[in-house]
Amino acid sequence: MNQSAVDLPLSGVTVIDLTRVLAGPMCTQTLGDLGARVIKVEQPGVGDDSRAIGPFVDGTSAYFMSVNRNKESIALNLKADADREIFERLLAKADVLVENYRPGTMEKLGYDWEELHARFPRLILVSISGFGQTGPYREKPAYDMVVQAMSGMMSVTGTADSGPCRVGVSIGDLGAGLYAVIGTQSALLRRARTGQGERVDVSMLDCQIALLENPVARLSATGSVPGPIGSRHPSMAPFDVYAAQDGWFVIAVGSDALFRTLCGLIERPALADAPRFASNTERCKHQAELKALLEERLVQEPRAHWLRIFSDHGVPTGEYHSVAEAVAHPQIAARGMIASVQAPSGAALQVASNPLVASFGADSTVRRNPPALDGDRERILQDFVDAA
C-alpha cells in the first residue's frame, strides 16, 4: 500500500475530524484521499456511530470501512479536562476542523466559532448539519431521508404510480459531504490570501435544493410543478431506458440530427419525418407513443446489436447494469474505481474509489486502512502533544 501523500494536492494539510455516520465522514475521507492528514476524534469505548451499523466484515462495519479510509483514530472525551487539553493541542497545529453535530452542540462543549477563531485564528471550521447554522429549523435533527423528503427530491424520483420514492443512495448525506469538501478547499485558498480561517456552514437541505437544478428552473419557467417521470428526461426525447430482445439499455438523443440518425439505424426513417416527432419539443409531447414505436423494433434484436451500431454512429447509448455488473466492468477497472480496504482482522472489503485521485497520479486511493478505534493514539500524541 502506498503510504505517501506528498504528490497529492492537500499534502501538508491537517484535518481534525469530529464527524460520524456519513455526510461528515464522506467529506473527511475525500480530503484524506486528496492527501490531507485526517485525525478522527471519536467517543471512547463507542466511536463513530457507524461502527455499529451492518453489514459486518469479521466484526467490523462495512459501512464504517466504506467512508473512513486514510484516517487515524484517537478516542477523546471532550467533557474531560485531560482529553480537552489533548484536543486543543491538536487544534493548535491543525488547518481544518470538521464537525457534523446538531447546531448548538459545539457551543455547549465550549468550542463555538468565536472562541475557536480567537484562539486559533488560522483554523477553518467546517460545520455540516441538517438545516445549517441559521433559520427556524437550525436545531432540528435530520437524516438523509428527512432532507430528501423536505427538498422535493423524493417528489421527482420514481414513477407516478410508485408514490414517494427515495433516491437509491443517501444523496442527502453524500451531496452535503461533497459540498463540504468544496467549501473546505475554498476556505483554504482564501486563507492563503488573508491568513485567516473562517467557518464553512453546510446544510444538507440546502445541498439537496442545489442539486434540484432542473426541477427548480422548470417550476419557474413553466409554472408547472415537476413530478416523478421514471427514467426519462423531462425535456429531451428519446432519452430513456428501452427494452431490447434480451435486456434493458439506454438511449440518450439530444438533437434532431441524432434522432434522424437513430431512425435510420433502426430502419424506421419515416419516424423522423412524422410531424409529431420532427422536433424535440414535439417528441417530448408524444414521448410515450414514440417509446412504444421504438421498442417495437428494438425488441427484435439483442442488446449487443443495438449497442454496437448506435455507438459506431455516435448515438449515446449504454448498458443497463446491476451494481455487480458495474463493479466488474472493464471501464471501471481501467479507471481504478474499485478500491480494497482491510478490517483490523485483515479481511478485505471492496469499496468505491475516489474519481479524482487517479487524475493526480496517485498509485492508489488507499494509503491507510480504516482505523481501529483509538488505534493511532500513540502516534498522534507523539506528533501533537509530546512534540509541543
Side-chain angles (χ1 to χ4, degrees):
M1 184 183 300
N2 177 22
Q3 294 287 327
S4 174
V6 70
D7 294 328
L8 292 171
L10 295 184
S11 175
V13 172
T14 298
V15 176
I16 307 303
D17 179 5
L18 279 180
T19 71
R20 62 226 186 278
V21 189
L22 185 52
M26 169 58 75
C27 168
T28 53
Q29 174 173 272
T30 305
L31 297 173
D33 289 349
L34 294 174
R37 181 179 185 181
V38 179
I39 297 173
K40 189 173 181 73
V41 176
E42 302 187 69
Q43 184 180 349
V46 179
D48 186 326
D49 298 351
S50 69
R51 289 185 183 273
I53 300 174
F56 296 92
V57 177
D58 270 7
T60 300
S61 165
Y63 190 123
F64 175 85
M65 291 171 68
S66 71
V67 286
N68 283 285
R69 62 177 174 255
N70 296 329
K71 303 180 186 181
E72 303 164 57
S73 172
I74 185 170
L76 297 175
N77 177 0
L78 297 185
K79 296 180 181 179
D81 290 344
D83 282 1
R84 287 172 67 88
E85 182 178 350
I86 293 171
F87 180 64
E88 290 165 19
R89 294 281 188 91
L90 299 181
L91 295 182
K93 293 185 177 181
D95 298 285
V96 181
L97 171 62
V98 186
E99 58 93 8
N100 65 343
Y101 292 124
R102 196 184 308 184
T105 300
M106 291 293 285
E107 287 81 353
K108 290 176 183 176
L109 289 170
Y111 297 116
D112 58 274
W113 167 239
E114 290 74 17
E115 170 73 14
L116 286 172
H117 190 54
R119 294 185 61 188
F120 312 107
R122 290 180 54 81
L123 182 69
I124 293 162
L125 173 61
V126 180
S127 296
I128 306 168
S129 61
F131 303 103
Q133 303 299 311
T134 58
Y137 273 49
R138 72 179 290 268
E139 295 184 2
K140 289 184 177 291
Y143 281 92
D144 170 78
M145 179 75 84
V146 174
V147 297
Q148 283 204 38
M150 289 185 63
S151 67
M153 182 68 74
M154 289 174 65
S155 77
V156 295
T157 304
T159 66
D161 298 328
S162 67
C165 189
R166 173 182 173 273
V167 175
V169 296
S170 297
I171 192 70
D173 284 298
L174 299 173
L178 295 176
Y179 272 111
V181 172
I182 297 169
T184 301
Q185 294 175 317
S186 300
L188 286 166
L189 286 170
R190 186 169 181 179
R191 190 187 69 177
R193 297 196 303 269
T194 67
Q196 294 291 304
E198 58 189 284
R199 186 175 207 176
V200 177
D201 174 10
V202 177
S203 154
M204 291 171 64
L205 182 61
D206 290 356
C207 295
Q208 289 304 279
I209 296 295
L211 294 173
L212 285 173
E213 37 52 82
N214 188 280
V216 171
R218 287 178 65 80
L219 172 64
S220 180
T222 68
S224 178
V225 179
I229 57 173
S231 300
R232 71 178 178 88
H233 196 283
S235 53
M236 286 188 278
F239 206 108
D240 205 339
V241 179
Y242 297 88
Q245 190 179 77
D246 58 349
W248 300 98
F249 73 112
V250 298
I251 301 170
V253 168
S255 72
D256 294 341
L258 268 179
F259 178 63
R260 185 167 292 277
T261 298
L262 172 71
C263 293
L265 293 173
I266 67 170
E267 302 170 346
R268 297 291 187 274
L271 289 177
D273 295 321
R276 66 192 186 283
F277 303 139
S279 71
N280 182 65
T281 299
E282 291 302 312
R283 290 195 296 276
C284 287
K285 290 178 184 177
H286 300 94
Q287 58 80 27
E289 180 188 2
L290 177 59
K291 181 172 184 176
L293 290 170
L294 292 176
E295 286 191 329
E296 282 182 6
R297 173 67 179 114
L298 296 173
V299 297
Q300 296 174 11
E301 303 286 352
R303 185 171 66 170
H305 169 79
W306 298 121
L307 290 169
R308 178 180 55 77
I309 67 168
F310 291 164
S311 294
D312 287 349
H313 290 83
V315 177
T317 186
E319 307 99 315
Y320 166 83
H321 284 153
S322 68
V323 175
E325 289 168 328
V327 166
H329 196 278
Q331 176 67 20
I332 301 301
R335 298 287 295 175
M337 276 309 301
I338 302 301
S340 180
V341 295
Q342 288 185 338
S345 67
L349 177 73
Q350 283 192 323
V351 295
S353 189
N354 186 315
L356 298 176
V357 172
S359 300
F360 293 111
D363 293 336
S364 172
T365 298
V366 184
R367 301 184 312 280
R368 183 182 293 276
N369 285 310
L373 176 60
D374 206 31
D376 302 284
R377 186 180 194 87
E378 184 177 338
R379 179 189 302 107
I380 294 168
L381 292 179
Q382 220 173 33
D383 293 348
F384 289 85
V385 178
D386 298 343

